[in-house]
Amino acid sequence: MSFASFGDFLAMGGHGLYVWLAYGSAAIVVAANVLSVRSARRRFFRQARALERQKAAQAARSVDSNQMPGEETK
Amino acid sequence: MTVTETLKRWWHQLGSPRWFYEISGPWQTGFAVLALLLLAIGTVWGLAIAPMDYQQGNSFRIIYVHVPTAIVSQTVYMLMGAAGLVLLVWRMKLADMVLAAAVPFGMSMTALALFTGAVWGKPTWGAWWVWDARTTSMLVLLFLYFGLYALRQAIPRNEAAGRACAVLALVGTVNIPIIKYSVDWWLTLHQPATFKLTEAPSMPPEMWLPLLLNVLGIYCFFAANLIGRLKLTILERESGTRWVRELIAGRSP
Amino acid sequence: MSLFSAQLRREWLLLIQHSEEVLNPLLFLFLAISLFALATGGGPDVLRDYAPAIIWVLVLLANLMSLEGLFRRDYEDGTLELLVLKAEPAFLALLAKVLVHWTFSGLAMTLLAPLAALILYLPVSALPMLILGLVVGTPALSLIGAVGAALTVGLKRGGALLALLVLPLYVPVLIFGAGAVLEQMAGIETLAQIYWLGVITMASLTLAPFAVLAALRVSLEQ
């Protein structure tokens, strides 16, 4: 251990602002890279499923009115 | 089967997005776990355990975020140049996707390296910004990333955008060494020898080992992140195909 | 070689017909130099110190300006497509285009450099180095810039994008070009930077035509 107490660790010998600013910004950038991919993936699946449901509903409607399935979707 | 045939088949498979999507899952998890471990150990070691630098004091600890991000952002650009070459010569779909997926990561890492460099520069040089060789090279690299990003945004068609970016990434990759050299040369002309941030005289192992861990960690993080982005790009571009539709249907909501 | 000379002739005649495309960047160069003089107060000491930087930066920008028109007209009337598809080998015809572009941008600016140096109070002893740097370095600007122009020719608002793509790649030429003059002014006799400019120009000469061709193929498909 290079620090005597937790307070020392936070203060970084007077350079606390710089050290924590650097590590904080790194944490934010790393987290942003992880989260942006994750949220985009979720969004993709949500939209794709919504689209599938819409198509299924449309197909069901077209069967009800005695049309060939899939004709309307074209 | 001969070796060349095996290689050919492997090469062909590598170009198939579906095959990549299906095998890459475990790799992504593996890289992510490795990245988490390496970065956690390296960061805690660098922040709390490694000895203080006798000249710079504790601001020296910024090295453990600054150097890994600076290194990885240069590697990512070179990788994009290689992907560009593969795309132009063999028209491999996956190379196009790598080219698209790596830009946001590389751009954010370059910006981070510049920012942490500035934060480190303030206590060390007394100024937030100094036009030294490395900083300037990184700044030009950031502009190269911006160019790639803007070019892709400007071209509406995916396929054309991919190949345009491939040309630009290749030209940029050829230029990077020249830019680095010219900027190094420029520094020696304009400024007296400054205090070099990353070349502390004979760094002891307890100082450079955490640095090594963080460098390896950030590479693993890049690999995991790139695979994640690639999988997403594959899903988006192949969204009309049967296997993707089955995948969507199979996933519990 | 007949293809090369035919293309050369055609480009030459076209540019003479559209002389405003040639003149506007040159006028811009001198207008911007005057703006610098006005903004700094016109003091000889300040202008002399910054003369290499001002001239080289503005040469870069004026070059950039002339690049937009490099492929634009040929793209719009379809001759570019013909050239890329039919000319054999196509890169030679492209090289002729770039050569003519350079004559009317880089070379023209080099010829006007003494005038620019005069109004910025550049010492006469540093003038040869400025001219030498411009002669050796500006072909690289045209060649590298042609890649950017080829990438953006199909886009509606390509101007700002072109600057973003090309200017970072101009950095080494700027550093060596302005550096050569600065060293001369500081009394250091060396040709190292000129050699480096030569290396960059030779490398661009061998690699850029292929990059331009690849970029044009992409742009023409859009």
Side-chain angles (χ1 to χ4, degrees):
Chain A
M1 266 308 157
S2 142
F3 297 97
S5 69
F6 191 68
D8 278 2
F9 177 61
L10 286 183
M12 284 280 161
H15 286 150
L17 172 68
Y18 307 113
V19 174
W20 294 115
L21 201 56
Y23 278 83
S25 62
I28 289 171
V29 169
V30 166
N33 267 297
V34 173
L35 294 180
S36 72
V37 178
R38 186 169 294 178
S39 70
R41 197 179 157 81
R42 290 226 177 99
R43 202 178 325 123
F44 172 82
F45 276 108
R46 204 171 47 235
Q47 282 173 353
R49 267 198 303 274
L51 201 71
E52 290 290 315
R53 267 200 302 275
Q54 216 176 359
K55 271 187 188 162
Q58 236 165 31
R61 258 205 311 274
S62 58
V63 169
D64 284 349
S65 54
N66 285 330
Q67 277 179 346
M68 287 298 284
E71 237 176 31
E72 260 184 10
T73 50
K74 271 180 193 165
Chain B
M1 207 193 304
T2 61
V3 179
T4 48
E5 267 174 29
T6 320
L7 271 178
K8 248 187 194 163
R9 211 186 59 166
W10 181 76
W11 184 249
H12 187 72
Q13 276 187 332
L14 200 62
S16 148
R18 182 185 177 179
W19 174 83
F20 181 84
Y21 190 94
E22 279 163 0
I23 67 129
S24 61
W27 286 89
Q28 188 187 5
T29 319
F31 277 125
V33 169
L34 213 56
L36 198 66
L37 273 175
L38 287 167
L39 287 176
I41 297 171
T43 304
V44 169
W45 191 346
L47 263 177
I49 302 165
M52 195 172 85
D53 185 74
Y54 71 100
Q55 260 182 313
Q56 298 181 43
N58 282 311
S59 66
F60 151 84
R61 297 182 195 281
I62 296 174
I63 198 174
Y64 302 114
V65 289
H66 176 71
V67 169
T69 49
I71 291 178
V72 83
S73 56
Q74 290 174 45
T75 315
V76 169
Y77 199 95
M78 298 286 176
L79 178 80
M80 289 195 296
L85 188 69
V86 171
L87 176 63
L88 288 178
V89 177
W90 291 289
R91 302 230 165 174
M92 193 193 259
K93 267 188 189 173
L94 198 61
D96 182 20
M97 293 174 181
V98 169
L99 208 54
V103 173
F105 181 90
M107 203 156 64
S108 63
M109 283 299 153
T110 316
L112 181 60
L114 276 170
F115 181 75
T116 52
V119 171
W120 194 2
K122 183 62 185 164
T124 311
W125 288 327
W128 292 101
W129 185 264
V130 171
W131 289 94
D132 91 312
R134 286 163 205 250
T135 315
T136 313
S137 299
M138 286 306 282
L139 187 64
V140 178
L141 185 68
L142 185 63
F143 286 130
L144 288 176
Y145 272 114
F146 283 153
L148 267 180
Y149 184 78
L151 186 63
R152 186 170 288 277
Q153 296 296 312
I155 301 178
R157 258 183 53 234
N158 256 337
E159 204 245 348
R163 285 197 294 133
C165 287
V167 174
L168 187 66
L170 259 178
V171 174
T173 306
V174 172
N175 259 275
I176 283 178
I178 306 175
I179 292 171
K180 274 187 98 74
Y181 178 81
S182 69
V183 169
D184 277 348
W185 177 87
W186 170 73
L187 171 82
T188 56
L189 176 74
H190 288 261
Q191 293 190 338
T194 37
F195 185 84
K196 273 197 181 145
L197 284 177
T198 49
E199 279 169 26
S202 62
M203 220 190 253
E206 62 267 34
M207 272 180 159
W208 63 254
L209 262 174
L211 184 59
L212 181 69
L213 291 182
N214 266 4
V215 170
L216 292 175
I218 201 96
Y219 273 113
C220 289
F221 176 58
F222 168 60
N225 194 253
L226 182 70
I227 293 173
R229 285 180 199 272
L230 281 176
K231 284 172 74 177
L232 183 64
T233 317
I234 289 170
L235 286 179
E236 281 166 356
R237 292 199 189 169
E238 311 257 305
S239 58
T241 61
R242 205 169 145 203
W243 74 272
V244 174
R245 290 173 66 183
E246 279 171 5
L247 194 79
I248 293 163
R251 248 177 77 113
S252 52
Chain C
M1 217 51 207
S2 66
L3 167 77
F4 187 73
S5 50
Q7 187 70 30
L8 216 58
R9 224 178 101 80
R10 179 180 171 272
E11 291 299 321
W12 190 275
L13 291 173
L14 265 177
L15 267 189
I16 287 171
Q17 267 175 23
H18 300 263
S19 52
E20 78 284 353
E21 277 179 30
V22 177
L23 282 176
N24 288 352
L26 297 178
L27 290 175
F28 163 80
L29 179 67
F30 279 90
L31 174 65
I33 286 177
S34 324
L35 293 182
F36 265 101
L38 291 172
T40 56
D45 293 341
V46 179
L47 282 179
R48 183 173 51 235
D49 286 353
Y50 289 110
I54 296 172
I55 294 174
W56 263 100
V57 168
L58 293 178
V59 163
L60 252 60
L61 295 180
N63 213 284
L64 193 67
M65 219 173 239
S66 64
L67 280 171
E68 258 221 277
L70 180 57
F71 296 118
R72 180 74 65 192
R73 198 173 334 99
D74 284 6
Y75 177 79
E76 277 161 5
D77 68 13
T79 37
L80 191 65
E81 196 158 5
L82 222 59
L83 189 148
V84 170
L85 293 177
K86 294 276 164 60
E88 207 43 70
F91 74 88
L92 211 59
L94 291 173
L95 212 53
K97 262 187 101 60
V98 176
L99 183 67
V100 174
H101 171 263
W102 173 74
T103 333
F104 285 106
S105 61
L107 188 63
M109 287 175 212
T110 310
L111 295 176
L112 290 169
L115 191 58
L118 180 81
I119 60 176
L120 288 175
Y121 308 107
L122 188 82
V124 179
S125 61
L127 187 59
M129 204 52 105
L130 177 67
I131 292 176
L132 197 59
L134 284 171
V135 168
V136 180
T138 47
L141 300 183
S142 292
L143 286 160
I144 297 169
V147 182
L151 284 172
T152 52
V153 68
L155 306 173
K156 279 206 183 70
R157 283 189 302 273
L161 181 62
L162 179 63
L164 185 59
L165 301 188
V166 167
L167 284 179
L169 303 173
Y170 278 178
V171 165
V173 178
L174 175 72
I175 288 176
F176 289 122
V181 189
L182 282 175
E183 284 213 343
Q184 184 73 31
M185 282 165 74
I188 304 163
E189 296 281 336
T190 169
L191 281 174
Q193 298 85 281
I194 303 295
Y195 291 139
W196 271 104
L197 285 176
V199 168
I200 296 170
T201 294
M202 288 315 288
S204 329
L205 192 61
T206 41
L207 298 174
F210 299 101
V212 173
L213 192 58
L216 282 179
R217 289 217 171 101
V218 179
S219 288
L220 286 168
E221 269 175 33
Q222 288 174 53

